[in-house]
Amino acid sequence: MNLKKVFFSFLVVLLFAGCAKKAIMGDSDAFEEEAIQPNVVEALEEPLETKKALADGTVIASIFFDFDKFEIRSDMQSEIDKSVDIAKENDEMKILIEGNTDEFGSDEYNFALGNKRALAVKTALITRGVDKKKMQIVSFGKTKPLCTEKTNECYQKNRRGDIRLLLNK
């Protein structure tokens, strides 16, 4: 009980001593009182920019391929670079690369070609610094076309590798 009184008295003295005003010596050796200013950080008037989270399953780029090819075309390099930047900005998300083909060829052939396209995109991302552990590939072959018209332009849209961001679950 006596220890509690001593401790309580110490806290009361500490409270009053901590709230006292400072005395500052001036040139005339007189004491001037100055109130202690609290350490307050002013809030920024402009809010900091926050990164907009991408939705689960967002396709950040489509890399298009020539007929029956899986080499990344030179005109697709900027799309690869753009997707690298987006992937690095969203480092908490996984990457799924989906290989797709047009309707020509057997199912087996197109699944193999879609796999090679997805692997080519994955390799391009890895060489630009994206962590390979974050990436998976899948081939859909000709089963997920973007376009179903019987035109060359439509077939070209289906010869692609989609780079999709997924939540890390």
Side-chain angles (χ1 to χ4, degrees):
M1 186 77 151
N2 194 16
L3 186 59
K4 287 183 180 178
K5 287 183 181 179
V6 171
F7 182 71
F8 181 72
S9 300
F10 176 73
L11 285 177
V12 170
V13 170
L14 186 62
L15 179 66
F16 285 114
C19 295
K21 294 185 178 186
K22 288 185 181 178
I24 300 177
M25 297 284 290
D27 290 338
S28 64
D29 292 333
F31 289 100
E32 296 177 17
E33 289 187 12
E34 180 180 307
I36 297 174
Q37 299 295 320
N39 290 331
V40 178
V41 178
E42 293 183 25
L44 297 173
E45 290 185 22
E46 296 179 18
L48 296 175
E49 285 188 37
T50 56
K51 179 177 73 171
K52 293 182 180 179
L54 294 177
D56 186 28
T58 300
V59 175
I60 59 173
S62 290
I63 309 303
F64 295 101
F65 294 87
D66 289 332
F67 175 75
D68 203 30
K69 303 287 185 196
F70 58 91
E71 295 84 17
I72 297 176
R73 302 184 327 212
S74 60
D75 65 325
M76 291 286 104
Q77 297 300 326
S78 62
E79 287 296 307
I80 295 283
D81 293 336
K82 179 186 85 168
S83 63
V84 167
D85 293 339
I86 295 171
K88 287 181 178 180
E89 289 171 5
N90 295 277
D91 192 47
E92 71 283 358
M93 299 183 89
K94 294 188 298 185
I95 302 168
L96 178 63
I97 304 165
E98 303 169 343
N100 297 276
T101 66
D102 58 28
E103 63 185 48
F104 300 105
S106 69
D107 289 343
E108 294 82 11
Y109 182 82
N110 281 324
F111 277 111
L113 181 57
N115 194 58
K116 289 177 183 177
R117 288 176 175 173
L119 190 57
V121 173
K122 179 180 179 181
T123 301
L125 296 176
I126 291 169
T127 59
R128 288 169 173 80
V130 178
D131 184 4
K132 67 180 176 182
K133 295 175 189 169
K134 292 178 44 170
M135 291 186 270
Q136 292 181 332
I137 63 170
V138 64
S139 175
F140 290 122
K142 57 185 174 182
T143 63
K144 292 204 174 192
L146 284 180
C147 185
T148 57
E149 297 172 13
K150 306 293 183 199
T151 65
N152 287 334
E153 294 80 21
C154 183
Y155 297 141
Q156 177 58 62
K157 290 178 183 178
N158 294 330
R159 300 178 196 130
R160 70 189 190 285
D162 291 329
I163 304 170
R164 187 179 301 275
L165 292 184
L166 302 173
L167 293 177
N168 223 348
K169 296 178 185 177

